[in-house]
Amino acid sequence: QATSMMPVVRGEREDLRPYVVSEHYRDLILRSTERMTMIRDQRWKHVEFHDSTDGQLFDLEDDPGELRNRWNDPACADKRKELALELAQWRTANAGRADMWRSATAEFDHPSAR
């Protein structure tokens, strides 16, 4: 899924993906959830915790330090829904890939992270 950014850096291409997606499994740093998935565009960052109904939504233009979680802000409900839909579509298109990486690297997990 990764795409080289070198054509953009060299000025050969200007188009960027509209979204970037990242997944993180519980480890020595992330202990409060089993798995989280993040999607962001140039302005917004949306984080879903797979074992919780809570999440994070940040307006990176107004809050670059991510200090004000807008997850439950009614004024941001449409943006939250938009990003949740994009993330659901990404998960469908990439089903199983993250699980494959998780199982392939399980031997490196610290016992307290399991």
Side-chain angles (χ1 to χ4, degrees):
Q1 299 139 304
T3 303
S4 173
M5 295 298 296
M6 287 310 297
V8 175
V9 171
R10 291 191 297 257
E12 299 165 357
R13 198 179 96 219
E14 292 183 16
D15 61 314
L16 299 174
R17 291 180 184 184
Y19 303 100
V20 173
V21 177
S22 173
E23 289 190 296
H24 190 146
Y25 285 87
R26 184 174 55 176
D27 60 11
L28 294 174
I29 298 169
L30 182 72
R31 293 177 182 231
S32 60
T33 185
E34 183 63 29
R35 179 176 171 189
M36 65 177 230
T37 307
M38 179 276 304
I39 185 168
R40 68 160 289 180
D41 60 18
Q42 289 189 342
R43 180 172 178 174
W44 293 90
K45 179 178 177 181
H46 172 103
V47 180
E48 293 181 4
F49 302 99
H50 293 236
D51 49 9
S52 174
T53 57
D54 281 334
Q56 297 175 340
L57 180 66
F58 298 104
D59 180 344
L60 300 173
E61 188 175 288
D62 292 338
D63 180 20
E66 300 179 17
L67 301 174
R68 185 171 170 217
N69 185 358
R70 311 282 301 269
W71 185 260
N72 293 313
D73 184 340
C76 300
D78 288 343
K79 179 50 86 170
R80 180 177 158 191
K81 287 178 189 174
E82 172 193 327
L83 293 173
L85 178 60
E86 290 292 337
L87 192 54
Q89 291 172 343
W90 180 87
R91 279 194 198 111
T92 299
N94 294 282
R97 288 186 188 197
D99 293 332
M100 174 191 69
W101 284 108
R102 175 66 170 163
S103 62
T105 60
E107 67 183 280
F108 301 110
D109 284 349
H110 189 279
S112 66
R114 291 188 194 130

